[in-house]
Amino acid sequence: MIDKARFTQIVREAGRIAHARWPGAGHALESWDKTPGNPVSEADLEVDRFLRRELTRLLPAAAWLSEETADDKRRTRSGLIWEVDPIDGTRDFVRGRSGWAISVALVSSGRPLIGMLVAPARGEEWCALAGQGATLNDAPLKASTLENFEGARVPADHLEAEDSMLVAVEKPNSIALRIAMVADDRADLVATLRWGFEWDIAAATLIAREAGARVSDAFGRPLDYNKHDPRDFGVLVCAPGIHEAAVRHLARRADQLK
């Protein structure tokens, strides 16, 4: 359907544009808060413009949904749509930390078809094509196969008392990279209990699913994409063997918070 080599080239170039602005490489950066605690930078906007131009040239029939572009609801009438987070993990980006990534997915009829994460500060390129597996730097990925919920590795800065049976591991600010950690067996479980946007997770959930992970919302239900309201309550990505236990563990908090 699309030129995969050109797609990869475009997302890589977006990563180079972002890295050339990244304070962690010694570059000056202008940033501000869109809303309190929700930063954006000139790099987010530059990458967004570049990706929209080049991906539209690559596939003119596809609609567009991005964190940094006003949402045109006419997109829901399209069977194809690009879902983009120009820099996922902007907090880490503006602070010069490495936990950020460019996230791009092509969604077809409500399901991610191709997805890519580029994390140049970490030297990582994650790719997946529906039905054809997932890779990290061209090496095939195999997700966590943990069977026991107790001891599951979770990307977290700290764990609440009710999660004390879990094990905290590195937590990049990018939710996409945290999901990808399950695909690479660096973590067993990623769960959020808040409303989040499709563009944050479209590429990463495809990568995780193609690596063998189980993907759902916080209640265990399937995720759909290109919805009129492009949000879901929570995302749950984990080893298949602990999915039911994870849904049960989250149920009370999910019901209270939704």
Side-chain angles (χ1 to χ4, degrees), residues 6 13 26 42 47 55 97 102 129 143 155 159 216 230 234 236 251:
R6 177 58 183 151
E13 179 60 25
E42 58 187 351
V47 171
L55 292 173
R97 299 173 182 171
I102 314 299
L129 188 62
L159 295 171
S216 70
L236 172 58

Side-chain angles (χ1 to χ4, degrees), residues 16-30 42 93-94 96:
R16 285 191 286 270
I17 292 169
H19 196 265
R21 298 277 196 172
W22 181 48
H27 303 294
L29 179 74
E30 182 180 352
E42 58 187 351
F93 182 84
V94 300

Side-chain angles (χ1 to χ4, degrees), residues 43-240:
D44 294 82
L45 304 183
E46 184 177 357
V47 171
D48 189 67
R49 290 191 296 268
F50 169 79
L51 286 171
R52 186 168 194 180
R53 182 182 71 242
E54 296 302 322
L55 292 173
T56 298
R57 288 174 178 170
L58 179 64
L59 191 61
W64 181 261
L65 179 65
S66 165
E67 180 172 9
E68 306 305 341
T69 306
D71 185 6
D72 183 345
K73 298 298 185 181
R74 289 177 296 180
R75 62 176 169 75
T76 59
R77 301 199 293 267
S78 176
L80 289 168
I81 184 169
W82 293 109
E83 299 214 1
V84 171
D85 194 339
I87 299 178
D88 184 51
T90 298
R91 286 188 186 88
D92 272 9
F93 182 84
V94 300
R95 293 171 182 169
R97 299 173 182 171
S98 66
W100 56 275
I102 314 299
S103 176
V104 179
L106 178 64
V107 169
S108 175
S109 301
R111 296 289 182 270
L113 178 66
I114 187 170
M116 187 170 180
L117 305 176
V118 173
R122 301 163 71 93
E124 296 174 348
E125 289 186 0
W126 310 75
C127 299
L129 188 62
Q132 297 188 29
T135 61
L136 168 57
N137 294 344
D138 295 322
L141 287 169
K142 183 174 175 55
S144 167
T145 56
L146 187 73
E147 295 287 341
N148 297 312
F149 185 73
E150 185 172 347
R153 297 163 296 168
V154 181
D157 294 323
H158 67 277
L159 295 171
E160 303 295 335
E162 55 197 317
D163 298 323
S164 61
M165 77 293 293
L166 305 175
V167 176
V169 295
E170 175 208 6
K171 180 192 172 186
N173 182 231
S174 163
I175 181 62
L177 287 178
R178 300 201 296 271
I179 290 169
M181 289 171 66
V182 179
D184 192 34
D185 199 13
R186 300 184 208 174
D188 306 298
L189 168 69
V190 169
T192 65
L193 291 173
R194 57 178 175 79
W195 288 98
F197 288 94
E198 295 178 14
W199 54 67
D200 290 321
I201 62 171
T205 52
L206 176 63
I207 290 163
R209 184 179 291 112
E210 286 296 314
R214 183 76 181 270
V215 175
S216 70
D217 71 5
F219 297 98
R221 302 174 301 209
L223 297 171
D224 292 316
Y225 295 86
N226 198 18
K227 301 183 296 296
H228 186 269
D229 179 354
R231 301 181 301 161
D232 291 285
F233 182 77
V235 60
L236 172 58
V237 179
C238 62

